Amino acid sequence: MIGTIAFAISGAIVAMEEDYDILGIYILGIVTAFGGGAIRNLLIGVPVSTLWEQGTFFQIALLSITLIIIFPHHLLKHWHKWGNFTDAIGLSAFAIQGALYAADMNHPLSAIIVAAVLTGSGGGMIRDLLAQRKPLVLRSEIYAVWAIITGLLIGLNIFTSSVELIILFITITALRVLSYTYKWKLPTKQYKLN
């Protein structure tokens, strides 16, 4: 639920920044909230139709988007700061959910890591591509690394209990916040044709 709200808001705000109409705002919000899970389901063998069984989560996402639309725009000027924070929450919550989903299906460690990354960042990638932005996960900024670490820790059964998963959620969220606050970056390699 936390991830759904965070990513639905994130998608709605990006749509408003790009001057989408009301329908576009709802579509981008929904795609951001559920896109990563849909991609994950395709890759780990879960029917995509299971996505439609999340009626309550769709209602929560629609309500979140509606609140952002009616929210006074002058209060959204702080979105960049809070937008990154909600995105960090969504990344952490969905990476954990994706890893647990794959682990419950007894998939190997590699599949658990991929499920964590796709669930944690897939919706954001789709959002950025639809908004014609360079996907956040593909920049030098540290983003998907936190989802990889989440998948690894869950796949190795290091974090299993509810309390441990809450600690993991808080830790991954905090690491993501630190990485964008202090501009931690992965090394880049450029190639330019002359």
Side-chain angles (χ1 to χ4, degrees):
M1 186 179 299
I2 292 168
T4 300
I5 293 168
F7 274 4
I9 290 171
S10 171
I13 293 288
V14 168
M16 289 191 294
E17 288 174 349
E18 297 296 327
D19 294 326
Y20 282 33
D21 64 18
I22 294 292
L23 181 60
I25 293 169
Y26 278 103
I27 289 172
L28 201 59
I30 292 294
V31 165
T32 306
F34 296 98
I39 295 170
R40 175 207 61 219
N41 287 358
L42 278 172
L43 290 177
I44 65 172
V46 176
V48 179
S49 59
T50 59
L51 191 66
W52 305 119
E53 296 169 7
Q54 302 183 59
T56 304
F57 290 106
F58 274 103
Q59 292 169 6
I60 289 168
L62 291 170
L63 178 62
S64 302
I65 295 164
T66 302
L67 290 174
I68 287 299
I69 289 171
I70 62 174
F71 203 71
H73 284 184
H74 69 279
L75 295 176
L76 291 177
K77 63 185 173 192
H78 302 292
W79 166 249
H80 185 68
K81 177 177 155 184
W82 293 107
N84 282 334
F85 183 63
T86 60
D87 199 67
I89 291 170
L91 170 70
S92 180
F94 276 140
I96 290 169
Q97 188 232 11
L100 289 173
Y101 209 80
D104 287 345
M105 295 180 69
N106 296 315
H107 283 297
L109 180 61
S110 57
I112 294 170
I113 292 170
V114 168
V117 172
L118 288 177
T119 312
S121 60
M125 286 178 65
I126 295 169
R127 173 201 65 208
D128 292 342
L129 290 171
L130 289 175
Q132 297 182 358
R133 296 179 173 191
K134 187 176 183 181
L136 186 61
V137 71
L138 301 179
R139 296 184 203 159
S140 60
E141 186 178 320
I142 297 178
Y143 188 86
V145 169
W146 305 127
I148 292 169
I149 291 169
T150 300
L152 186 65
L153 293 172
I154 290 173
L156 293 174
N157 293 318
I158 295 171
F159 287 84
T160 54
S161 73
S162 296
V163 172
E164 291 169 341
L165 292 171
I166 290 169
I167 292 168
L168 180 61
F169 168 73
I170 293 167
T171 303
I172 295 298
T173 301
L175 286 169
R176 173 62 190 132
V177 168
L178 289 171
S179 69
Y180 70 70
T181 301
Y182 294 105
K183 301 188 181 347
W184 297 347
K185 297 194 180 285
L186 294 172
T188 59
K189 175 108 175 146
Q190 294 183 343
Y191 175 76
K192 294 186 181 185
L193 291 173
N194 291 327

